[in-house]
C-alpha cells in the first residue's frame, strides 16, 4: 500500500495523518470533525469507531485499529455491551479524566466529557510507572507520539499525554466539549413514574449539553473541585514550597548528552545540596530533572533561601499571602530557578531559555504543597424522585498527589480503572450499597500502591481490580458500613471541618495505675518503699529495682550505693537510654533532690518504663528470662546504639588524627621507609582507651531539664527532648553551623565545644583533609582521565550522585563546562561516618587517592637515575596502612562483570545477604521488564514493517556515541538503574513528608501538654480530683508522644538505609569506572585507588548487612513482646 502522500485522490487519508500529528487541542478537535464530515460519519460511541475503521482501511490507520481492537476485545468489556445503556458525564480533560472516559467508551457507555479550557498548555513532565507505559503503548501512544518512552525514557509531558489520550478518546466515540464549565447538578423533576434524569448546571448556560441526562458522573476536575456530598480530609506537614520550570529543548547534541536527574534528596545526599547552597545561596530539599518537549525541573525550596535571594519579598505567616503574586519578585524567581537548573546539570545545558506557558510568560511557577488533601470516600449515590446518580472521583480530587513521589498519573490511572469497574458493576444491576462497599474496599489500597506492591504481570492489567492488586479483599467493607454514602433527596453538606481544641478526656486512672505498678514491680527490694512520686525515688534504689525486676542483666542491684544518689541516678539514666531506648526527662541531680515540681517529670519518665515493660510481676517471676523491650521502644534503642557507635567512631578518628599531627611535628623529616616500619602507624591506629567515668566523679552534665540547652527558655515536659545529657526544645535541635534540623540518631556532638552538628559539618580532626589549594592543582590531563566514560552518563545517571566526575577536584567557581557538584563527589565517602555501625579507624580517611596526584609530602628530591625520594605525611601513612595487604586470594572482590555490561550504568552490586525473597523480587522485576520489552519490541517490529525512520528519534532519546549492538540488555540495565534511583528518591520523599507530619503532630501535642502542665503546677485553686484528671490527660499525651517518637525512630533507621544505598551506588559507579579501563592502561595510582574504592564498597556492604541484621533482631524482639 502506498503512502498517503501518494494518494492525492483520497483526502480522508491526509486528514487522518494531520489528526495523528496534531499538536494542539483545538487542532485535534478540528481535524477529527473534518475527518468525520469527510467520511459522512455521525453519532458517538463504538458505533463511530467501527465506522472510522471501515472507512479508513490503509496501512497507517490499520496499525492503530489493530491495537485498539486488541484492547477492546478484552473480556471485561463484553464486546462493548457491558454498559450499553449507561450515560456518563466526565468532568475534566486531564490525563485521568480522559483515561476513565476511554474505559467507559470501551464498555459501551455513551460518554460526554467537559473541559473548561480550550488548550493543553502544561509542559510539566510526569513520571510513568511500568504499567502506565505498557497501558499507553496498548492504546497506540507511539502512533500519535513517536518518541513516547523510546529507549530508557519513563516520563512524558502532561500536554503530550493529554493529546494522546484525547485522540484515542475521540476515535472511540467520546464526545468532547471544550470551553464548557461544570457548575453543579440539577436533580430530576418530579415527573410521573420517576422519569427524567440528572442534568448538569453548565457555563455557558446556552450549551446544548444542559439538556443531557446522565446516570453516572465522574469528576476529574482537579483538587479544587469536588461535587457536593464528598468530604475531604487533610494531612499537614511543615511549610513546603515547590518550584517548577520549563526551558526550551532544542534537541541539540549538547542537550542530549546531559544526564537527567531521576531525583536526589537532601535527606540522603547532603553533600550536593550543601555545595549548591555554598556556591549559589540556593537551599533546596530535593530536585528532579526530566527531558521531554522541554527541559523540566521541579524542586522544593526552603523559605529562608527564597527570602535571602529576594524571591519572596516579606515573610508572612499565612501561606497564601506568602506566595501571593504581590509578595513574589518574578525576576528573582526566574533567576533562582535558572541558577538551580544550571548548577544541577553542571552548566552543561547551553543557552537556557524559558519556555512559555499559556499566558505567554516564562513557564516558572511556585506553589505550596504543605497541606495534602484526599477524599474520605471514592464514590456515593444520590437519589431524587426515584432517579439514581452514581458519582465517582478520579485524579487529584480523589487523592491529591505528593509530587516528589511521582505517583500522580499512575495512581490516577489505577483510580480510573477502579471507577470504570464500578460503573460496570452498576450497569450490571448490582445493588447500589454493594457497588459502594466494593469501591471503598478497593479505595483503601490506592494510597499505598507502588510498583513494588502491585501485581508484576502488567500485561494482564485490566479494569478488574484482581488483576492489579494482589490478594485484594473486595468485601473488606460491608454494605452496612456505607449507608451514609447513599444520599436521598437534596443534600446539604457542611464542609467546615470541626476542630476540637479541648483537652482530651481519658478514661480510667492512669496515675493510680502507674503508682500501683511501680509498687508491685519494686516490692521486696532492699531499701525500697514506693509510696509516692517524689521522696520514694531520691536514693535511686527504686529506679534500680524497677529495671532489675525486668532486666536483671543490666543492673547489679546489690552493688548499688544509696549514699551516692546522683551517681546512681546517672548510671540508671544512661542504662535506660542506651539499653532500653528510654530518653531521660530529668537530670540525675534533679532526680536525686526530687523537689515537688519535678514530680511531673518523674511521672512522665516512669510512664515510659510502664510502656516498655507492661506486664505483671507475677508473670515475670514465672519466666526468669529478661524481658525484651517492647516494639514502641525498639527503634529508639536501635538508634541509641547507632549514635553511640558513631560517637565512638568520631572519638577514635579525632584521637588518631591528633596522634597523626603529633607524629607529623616530631617526625617531619622521616624517610618513607622509616615511616612504614610499623611503630608510628601502629600507635596511630591503636584504638583509644575506652572512655570511662571515674565512679567517684560526677559527669559534667548538670544542666537543668527545665531550661533549653540552646535558647535557655523554659522547656515543658511534652516539648522536652534530650541528647548527650542536654535538654532542649525539639525545634531548637539544629546543627550549630548550618542550622539544619537534627533528629535523634542522626547528629554528631563535639564534647570539646559542646555543639551539635549534622554529620556533614561535624568538625574534622586536625590534618584530615588535604589543603584546598593543593587539591586544585590537579593537572588537566589527570582531570580528564578521572572522568567516567561517556557511555556511563546515560539518562539514568544523576550527575550529582557521584557518577560523571569521580575524582576531579572542584573548580574555584562554577563555570560552563565544569563540574560544580564535584566537591561533594570528591568527598562523598565522608558521609559514611554518618552511619558508622562499627567503630573502625578507617573512618578518618575521607579523601580518595587521586590518580596522578603526587603524595602531599613534606618535600621531594630528585635522586640519581631519575627516581624520586617521596616523603609521606602521617596522614598518607595512615591511609596506606588501612589498605588491605592481603593477597588477592584472601580478599576476593565481587566478580568482575562482563565488559559489555559496563557500558551502561548498572544497578548496585548485590549484597551478600540477599535471600530467597530478594531473588523472588528480582524475578518479579524481570517479569515487568519482559512485559515492557515485549510491547516495545512489537511496536518496533511494526514500525520497521511500516518503513518508519526512527534514527532521528533514537538520536534524541539515547546518548550519542553509544553502540546499539545490544539494545535489549542495554535498555534493561539502564531501566533498572533508573528505577533503583527513583525508588530511593521516592522512599526518601515519603519519609521526609511523614517526618514533617509527625513534627506538626508533635507541636499540637506540645501545646496541649503545656496547657496541662501549667494547670497542674498551679497549686492554689484546683481540687485534687481535677488534678488527677489532668494528670491522666498528661500521661495520655505522653503515651501518644512516645508512639510518635517510635515511628520517627523507625523512619530514621530507614534514612540510614537510604544513605548506605546511596553510598553503595556511588562507590559502585566509581569502581566500575576503573574496572572499565584496560589493565594495561592503568597506572599504579589507578590500581591503588581501585583497591581503596573496593575496600570502601565492601565496608558499606558490611554496614548494610549489619543494619539489616540489627533490624531483624528488633523485629524478632517485637514479635516476642
Amino acid at each position: 500500500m502506498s503512502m498517503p502522500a501518494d494518494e492525492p485522490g483520497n483526502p480522508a487519508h491526509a486528514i487522518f495523518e494531520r489528526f495523528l500529528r496534531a499538536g494542539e487541542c483545538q487542532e485535534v478537535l478540528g481535524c477529527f470533525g473534518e475527518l468525520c464530515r469527510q467520511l459522512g460519519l455521525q453519532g458517538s460511541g463504538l458505533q463511530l469507531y467501527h465506522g472510522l475503521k471501515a472507512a479508513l482501511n490503509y496501512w497507517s490507520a490499520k496499525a492503530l485499529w489493530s491495537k485498539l481492537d486488541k484492547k477492546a476485545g478484552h473480556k471485561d468489556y463484553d464486546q462493548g455491551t457491558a454498559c450499553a445503556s449507561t450515560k456518563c458525564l466526565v468532568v475534566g480533560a486531564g490525563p485521568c479524566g480522559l483515561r476513565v472516559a476511554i474505559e467507559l467508551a470501551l464498555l459501551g457507555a455513551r460518554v460526554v466529557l467537559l473541559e473548561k479550557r480550550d488548550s493543553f498548555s502544561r509542559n510539566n513532565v510526569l513520571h510513568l510507572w511500568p504499567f502506565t507505559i505498557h497501558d499507553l503503548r496498548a492504546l497506540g501512544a507511539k502512533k500519535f507520539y513517536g518518541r513516547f518512552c523510546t529507549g530508557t525514557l519513563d516520563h512524558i509531558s502532561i500536554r503530550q499525554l493529554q493529546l494522546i489520550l484525547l485522540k484515542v478518546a475521540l476515535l472511540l466515540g467520546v464526545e468532547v466539549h471544550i470551553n464548557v464549565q461544570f457548575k453543579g447538578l440539577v436533580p430530576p423533576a418530579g415527573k410521573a413514574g420517576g422519569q427524567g434524569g440528572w442534568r448538569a448546571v453548565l457555563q455557558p448556560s446556552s450549551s446544548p449539553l444542559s439538556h443531557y441526562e446522565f446516570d453516572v458522573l465522574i469528576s476529574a476536575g482537579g483538587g479544587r473541585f469536588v461535587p457536593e456530598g464528598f468530604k475531604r480530609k487533610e494531612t499537614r506537614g511543615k511549610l513546603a514550597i515547590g518550584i517548577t520550570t520549563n526551558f526550551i529543548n532544542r534537541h541539540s547534541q549538547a542537550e542530549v548528552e546531559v544526564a537527567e536527574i531521576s531525583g536526589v534528596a537532601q535527606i540522603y545526599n547532603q553533600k550536593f545540596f550543601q555545595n549548591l547552597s555554598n556556591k549559589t545561596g540556593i537551599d533546596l530539599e530535593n530536585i528532579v530533572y526530566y527531558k521531554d518537549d522541554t527541559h523540566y525541573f521541579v524542586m522544593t525550596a526552603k523559605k529562608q533561601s527564597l527570602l535571602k535571594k529576594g524571591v519572596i519579598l516579606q515573610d508572612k505567616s499565612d501561606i497564601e499571602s506568602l506566595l501571593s503574586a504581590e509578595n513574589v519578585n518574578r525576576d528573582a524567581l526566574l533567576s533562582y530557578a535558572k541558577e538551580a537548573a544550571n548548577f544541577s546539570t553542571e552548566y552543561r545545558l547551553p543557552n537556557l531559555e524559558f519556555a512559555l506557558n499559556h499566558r505567554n510568560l516564562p513557564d516558572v511557577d511556585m506553589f505550596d504543597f504543605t497541606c495534602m488533601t484526599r477524599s474520605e470516600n471514592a464514590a456515593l449515590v444520590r437519589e431524587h424522585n426515584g432517579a439514581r446518580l452514581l458519582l465517582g472521583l478520579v485524579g487529584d480530587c480523589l487523592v491529591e498527589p505528593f509530587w516528589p513521589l511521582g505517583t500522580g498519573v499512575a495512581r490516577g490511572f489505577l483510580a480510573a480503572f477502579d471507577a470504570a469497574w464500578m460503573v460496570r458493576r452498576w450497569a450490571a444491576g448490582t445493588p447500589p450499597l454493594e457497588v459502594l462497599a466494593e469501591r471503598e474496599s478497593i479505595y483503601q489500597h490506592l494510597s499505598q500502591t507502588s510498583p513494588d506492591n502491585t501485581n508484576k504481570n502488567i500485561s494482564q492489567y485490566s479494569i478488574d481490580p484482581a488483576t492489579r492488586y494482589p490478594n485484594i479483599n473486595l468485601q473488606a467493607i460491608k454494605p452496612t458500613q456505607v449507608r451514609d454514602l447513599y444520599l436521598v433527596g437534596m443534600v446539604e453538606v457542611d464542609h467546615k471541618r470541626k476542630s476540637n481544641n479541648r483537652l482530651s478526656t481519658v478514661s480510667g486512672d492512669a496515675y493510680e495505675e502507674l503508682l500501683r505498678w511501680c509498687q508491685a514491680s519494686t516490692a521486696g527490694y532492699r531499701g525500697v518503699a514506693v509510696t509516692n512520686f517524689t521522696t520514694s525515688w531520691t536514693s535511686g534504689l527504686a529506679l534500680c529495682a524497677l529495671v532489675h525486676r525486668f532486666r536483671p542483666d543490666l543492673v547489679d542491684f546489690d552493688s548499688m550505693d544509696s549514699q551516692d544518689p546522683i551517681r546512681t541516678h546517672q548510671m540508671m539514666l544512661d542504662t535506660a537510654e542506651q539499653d532500653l531506648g528510654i530518653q531521660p526527662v530529668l537530670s540525675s541531680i534533679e532526680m536525686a533532690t526530687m523537689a515537688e515540681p519535678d514530680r511531673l517529670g518523674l511521672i512522665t519518665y516512669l510512664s515510659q518504663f510502664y510502656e516498655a515493660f507492661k506486664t505483671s510481676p507475677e508473670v515475670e517471676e514465672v519466666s526468669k528470662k529478661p524481658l525484651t523491650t517492647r516494639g514502641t521502644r525498639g527503634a529508639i534503642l536501635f538508634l541509641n546504639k547507632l549514635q553511640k557507635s558513631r560517637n565512638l567512631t568520631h572519638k577514635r578518628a579525632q584521637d588518631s588524627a591528633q596522634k597523626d599531627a603529633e607524629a607529623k611535628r616530631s617526625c617531619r623529616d622521616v624517610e618513607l621507609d622509616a615511616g612504614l616500619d610499623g611503630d608510628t602507624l601502629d600507635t596511630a591506629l591503636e584504638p583509644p582507651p575506652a572512655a570511662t567515668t571515674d565512679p567517684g566523679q560526677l559527669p559534667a552534665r548538670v544542666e537543668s531539664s527545665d531550661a533549653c540547652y540552646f535558647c535557655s527558655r523554659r522547656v515543658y515536659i511534652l516539648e522536652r527532648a534530650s541528647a548527650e545529657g542536654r535538654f532542649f526544645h525539639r525545634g531548637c535541635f539544629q546543627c550549630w553551623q548550618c542550622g539544619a534540623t537534627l533528629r535523634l540518631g542522626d547528629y554528631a556532638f563535639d564534647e570539646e565545644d559542646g555543639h551539635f552538628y549534622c554529620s556533614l559539618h561535624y568538625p574534622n580532626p586536625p590534618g584530615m583533609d588535604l589543603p584546598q589549594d593543593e587539591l586544585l592543582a590537579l593537572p588537566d590531563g589527570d582531570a580528564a582521565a578521572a572522568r567516567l566514560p561517556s557511555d556511563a552518563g546515560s539518562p539514568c545517571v544523576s550527575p550529582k550522585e557521584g557518577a560523571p566526575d569521580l575524582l576531579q577536584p572542584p573548580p574555584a567557581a562554577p563555570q560552563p563546562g565544569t563540574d560544580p557538584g564535584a566537591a561533594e563527589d570528591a568527598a562523598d565517602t565522608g558521609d559514611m561516618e554518618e552511619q558508622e555501625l562499627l567503630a573502625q579507624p578507617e573512618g578518618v580517611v575521607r579523601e580518595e587517592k587521586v590518580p596522578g596526584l603526587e603524595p602531599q609530602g613534606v618535600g621531594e628530591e630528585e635522586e640519581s637515575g631519575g627516581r624520586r625520594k617521596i616523603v609521606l605525611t602521617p596522614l598518607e601513612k595512615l591511609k596506606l596502612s588501612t589498605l588491605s595487604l592481603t593477597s588477592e586470594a584472601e580478599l576476593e572482590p565481587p566478580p568482575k562483570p562482563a565488559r559489555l555490561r559496563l557500558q551502561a550504568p548498572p544497578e548496585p552490586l548485590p549484597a551478600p545477604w540477599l535471600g530467597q525473597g530478594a531473588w523472588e523480587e528480582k524475578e518479579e522485576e524481570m517479569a515487568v521488564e519482559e512485559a515492557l520489552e515485549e510491547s516495545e519490541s512489537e511496536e518496533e517490529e511494526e514500525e520497521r514493517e511500516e518503513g518508519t525512520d526512527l534514527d532521528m528519534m533514537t538520536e534524541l532519546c539515547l546518548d550519542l556515541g553509544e553502540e546499539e549492538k545490544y539494545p535489549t540488555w542495554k535498555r534493561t540495565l539502564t531501566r533498572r538503574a533508573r528505577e533503583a534511583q527513583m525508588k530511593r528518591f521516592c522512599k526518601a520523599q515519603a519519609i521526609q513528608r511523614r517526618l514533617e507530619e509527625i513534627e506538626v503532630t508533635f507541636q499540637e501535642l506540645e501545646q496541649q501538654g503545656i496547657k496541662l502542665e501549667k494547670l497542674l503546677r498551679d497549686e492554689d485553686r484546683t481540687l485534687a480530683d481535677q488534678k488527677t484528671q489532668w494528670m491522666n490527660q498528661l500521661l495520655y499525651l505522653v503515651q501518644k508522644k512516645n508512639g510518635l517518637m517510635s515511628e520517627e525512630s523507625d523512619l530514621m533507621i530507614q534514612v540510614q538505609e537510604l544513605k548506605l544505598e546511596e553510598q553503595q551506588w556511588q562507590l559502585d559507579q566509581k569502581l566500575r569506572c576503573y574496572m572499565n579501563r584496560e589493565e594495561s592502561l592503568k597506572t599504579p595510582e589507578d590500581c591503588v585507588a581501585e583497591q581503596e574504592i573496593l575496600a570502601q564498597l565492601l565496608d558499606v556492604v558490611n554496614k548494610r548487612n549489619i543494619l539489616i541484621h540489627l533490624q531483624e533482631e528488633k523485629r524478632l524482639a517485637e514479635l516476642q513482646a
Side-chain angles (χ1 to χ4, degrees), residues 222-273:
R224 296 184 179 180
F225 173 74
V226 179
E228 290 289 328
F230 289 92
K231 297 179 181 179
R232 309 282 287 173
K233 58 183 177 182
E234 175 184 282
T235 58
R236 177 177 291 272
K238 296 172 66 177
L239 177 64
I241 301 174
I243 297 176
T244 60
T245 182
N246 287 275
F247 298 97
I248 295 174
N249 188 353
R250 299 177 179 85
H251 303 287
S252 65
Q253 177 174 338
E255 291 172 297
V256 170
E257 290 177 344
V258 177
E260 292 182 321
I261 305 170
S262 298
V264 58
Q266 188 180 41
I267 197 170
Y268 63 80
N269 193 343
Q270 288 179 292
K271 290 281 185 180
F272 166 75
F273 292 97

Side-chain angles (χ1 to χ4, degrees), residues 138-372:
L139 293 175
K142 286 185 74 71
K143 304 299 178 184
F144 306 106
Y145 184 53
R147 289 170 41 223
F148 174 75
C149 290
T150 304
T152 61
L153 296 182
D154 59 357
H155 46 75
I156 189 173
S157 69
I158 299 176
R159 188 178 69 85
Q160 285 292 351
L161 180 57
Q162 286 178 283
L163 288 171
I164 291 171
L165 295 174
L166 173 63
K167 294 171 185 177
V168 176
L170 290 172
L171 292 175
L172 292 175
V174 176
E175 303 173 45
V176 179
H177 298 263
I178 59 175
N179 293 319
V180 180
Q181 187 172 3
F182 179 86
K183 305 297 289 185
L185 289 169
V186 178
K191 295 182 180 180
Q195 296 179 355
W198 290 80
R199 292 180 290 112
V201 179
L202 303 176
Q203 186 179 356
S205 57
S206 58
S207 171
L209 291 177
S210 299
H211 302 290
Y212 173 61
E213 296 181 352
F214 48 89
D215 47 20
V216 174
L217 172 66
I218 302 296
S219 174
R224 296 184 179 180
F225 173 74
V226 179
E228 290 289 328
F230 289 92
K231 297 179 181 179
R232 309 282 287 173
K233 58 183 177 182
E234 175 184 282
T235 58
R236 177 177 291 272
K238 296 172 66 177
L239 177 64
I241 301 174
I243 297 176
T244 60
T245 182
N246 287 275
F247 298 97
I248 295 174
N249 188 353
R250 299 177 179 85
H251 303 287
S252 65
Q253 177 174 338
E255 291 172 297
V256 170
E257 290 177 344
V258 177
E260 292 182 321
I261 305 170
S262 298
V264 58
Q266 188 180 41
I267 197 170
Y268 63 80
N269 193 343
Q270 288 179 292
K271 290 281 185 180
F272 166 75
F273 292 97
Q274 187 62 43
N275 202 23
L276 170 65
S277 178
N278 291 340
K279 294 187 177 182
T280 67
I282 295 174
D283 199 0
L284 303 178
E285 293 183 1
N286 52 49
I287 189 168
V288 173
Y289 162 51
Y290 286 142
K291 277 183 288 190
D292 201 81
D293 288 344
T294 62
H295 295 289
Y296 170 68
F297 293 83
V298 58
M299 62 202 81
T300 302
K302 296 184 180 179
K303 183 179 73 171
Q304 291 303 318
S305 171
L306 295 170
L307 287 167
K308 289 180 180 178
K309 299 286 284 186
V311 177
I312 297 177
L313 302 179
Q314 293 183 355
D315 191 4
K316 298 182 180 181
S317 57
D318 178 60
I319 300 176
E320 187 174 348
S321 301
L322 181 73
L323 301 182
S324 62
E326 54 271 16
N327 196 42
V328 174
N329 184 331
R330 185 75 181 175
D331 292 336
L333 175 60
L334 299 181
S335 176
Y336 191 97
K338 190 171 185 177
E339 198 168 6
N342 269 323
F343 184 91
S344 61
T345 55
E346 304 172 1
Y347 298 83
R348 294 174 60 193
L349 286 174
N351 304 321
L352 279 182
E353 182 180 344
F354 288 102
L356 300 180
N357 59 20
H358 62 285
R359 295 187 297 270
N360 208 33
L361 296 173
D363 195 355
V364 180
D365 190 26
M366 187 161 59
F367 60 96
D368 162 55
F369 60 100
T370 302
C371 300
M372 309 302 296

Side-chain angles (χ1 to χ4, degrees), residues 384-645:
H384 190 79
N385 288 336
R388 291 172 177 169
L389 175 67
L390 175 65
L391 296 95
L393 304 181
V394 297
D396 291 3
C397 61
L398 179 62
V399 178
E400 190 174 5
F402 182 49
W403 75 260
L405 299 184
T407 57
V409 68
R411 290 179 180 170
F413 275 26
L414 290 174
F417 299 157
D418 297 337
W421 179 258
M422 173 184 69
V423 175
R424 184 183 189 277
R425 297 272 289 156
W426 173 269
T430 306
L433 289 181
E434 290 186 19
V435 172
L436 293 173
E438 184 177 273
R439 178 68 187 96
E440 298 308 313
S441 298
I442 300 169
Y443 180 46
Q444 287 183 327
H445 291 258
L446 186 63
S447 292
Q448 286 75 43
T449 53
S450 71
D452 295 328
N453 58 23
T454 48
N455 283 334
K456 305 304 177 185
N457 192 356
I458 59 177
S459 62
Q460 299 300 314
Y461 277 23
S462 72
I463 60 174
D464 185 351
T467 64
R468 294 174 277 119
Y469 308 112
N471 305 318
I472 188 172
N473 180 10
L474 297 179
Q475 284 79 43
I477 294 179
K478 305 302 180 184
T480 55
Q481 297 176 265
V482 294
R483 286 177 178 170
D484 59 324
L485 300 181
Y486 192 101
L487 310 177
V488 180
M490 299 302 294
V491 179
E492 295 183 4
V493 180
D494 182 12
H495 290 285
K496 297 181 180 179
R497 297 188 61 84
K498 298 180 181 179
S499 59
N500 185 8
N501 294 323
R502 295 178 300 170
L503 298 175
S504 304
T505 57
V506 183
S507 60
D509 193 342
Y511 174 84
E512 291 297 332
E513 182 180 351
L514 178 63
L515 181 59
R516 287 193 297 269
W517 179 79
C518 290
Q519 290 172 336
S521 299
T522 58
Y525 281 88
R526 168 185 55 84
V528 177
V530 175
T531 59
N532 54 39
F533 287 114
T534 51
T535 56
S536 299
W537 302 85
T538 54
S539 68
L541 294 181
L543 186 58
C544 293
L546 185 64
V547 175
H548 185 269
R549 171 58 61 95
F550 299 101
R551 290 294 302 272
D553 57 313
L554 298 179
V555 180
D556 184 2
F557 183 82
D558 295 332
S559 66
M560 293 294 105
D561 183 7
S562 61
Q563 301 302 316
D564 194 354
I566 294 178
R567 175 178 172 272
T568 301
H569 275 294
Q570 187 61 59
M571 184 185 304
M572 296 313 302
L573 288 174
D574 293 341
T575 299
E577 183 175 11
Q578 296 170 10
D579 296 295
L580 299 177
I582 296 177
Q583 299 293 317
V585 179
L586 300 170
S587 68
S588 57
I589 295 179
E590 290 171 325
M591 294 188 70
T593 55
M594 197 52 65
E596 181 65 21
D598 293 328
R599 182 174 67 104
L600 296 178
L602 180 64
I603 294 173
T604 302
Y605 185 57
L606 293 176
S607 68
Q608 298 182 70
F609 288 90
Y610 178 74
E611 288 298 320
F613 301 123
K614 194 187 299 181
T615 183
S616 64
E618 292 76 16
V619 175
E620 192 273 332
E621 288 294 342
V622 175
S623 176
K624 297 297 183 181
K625 296 190 298 182
L627 294 181
T628 57
T629 308
R630 294 174 61 85
T632 55
R633 317 306 309 173
I636 300 175
L637 172 60
F638 177 82
L639 283 182
N640 285 339
K641 291 182 176 180
L642 185 66
Q643 190 67 52
K644 182 179 179 181
S645 176

Side-chain angles (χ1 to χ4, degrees), residues 1026-1088:
Q1026 183 64 63
K1027 282 201 170 187
T1028 300
Q1029 177 63 24
W1030 288 338
M1031 180 63 71
N1032 292 337
Q1033 293 174 2
L1034 182 64
L1035 291 175
Y1036 172 73
L1037 295 180
V1038 169
Q1039 182 179 355
K1040 292 183 66 176
K1041 175 188 174 182
N1042 293 340
L1044 288 174
M1045 288 182 63
S1046 177
E1047 183 182 359
E1048 183 183 50
S1049 299
D1050 279 323
L1051 293 173
M1052 292 309 299
I1053 293 174
Q1054 296 180 41
V1055 170
Q1056 303 302 326
E1057 287 185 278
L1058 286 175
K1059 289 183 177 181
L1060 287 173
E1061 288 177 19
E1062 176 72 8
Q1063 290 166 22
Q1064 182 175 341
W1065 186 86
Q1066 292 181 5
L1067 291 170
D1068 183 62
Q1069 296 299 312
K1070 295 180 180 182
L1071 181 62
R1072 288 175 183 270
C1073 168
Y1074 286 105
M1075 295 171 68
N1076 198 29
R1077 299 176 186 174
E1078 295 295 336
E1079 293 293 335
S1080 59
L1081 300 179
K1082 291 182 182 179
T1083 65
E1085 290 84 357
D1086 289 341
C1087 296
V1088 172

Side-chain angles (χ1 to χ4, degrees), residues 957-977:
C957 299
L958 298 176
D959 279 336
L960 299 178
E962 284 191 306
E963 297 180 3
E964 292 300 313
K965 296 180 179 178
Y966 305 95
T968 301
W969 67 258
K970 183 170 290 188
R971 283 196 297 266
T972 299
L973 286 177
T974 308
R975 184 180 291 120
R976 285 182 182 178

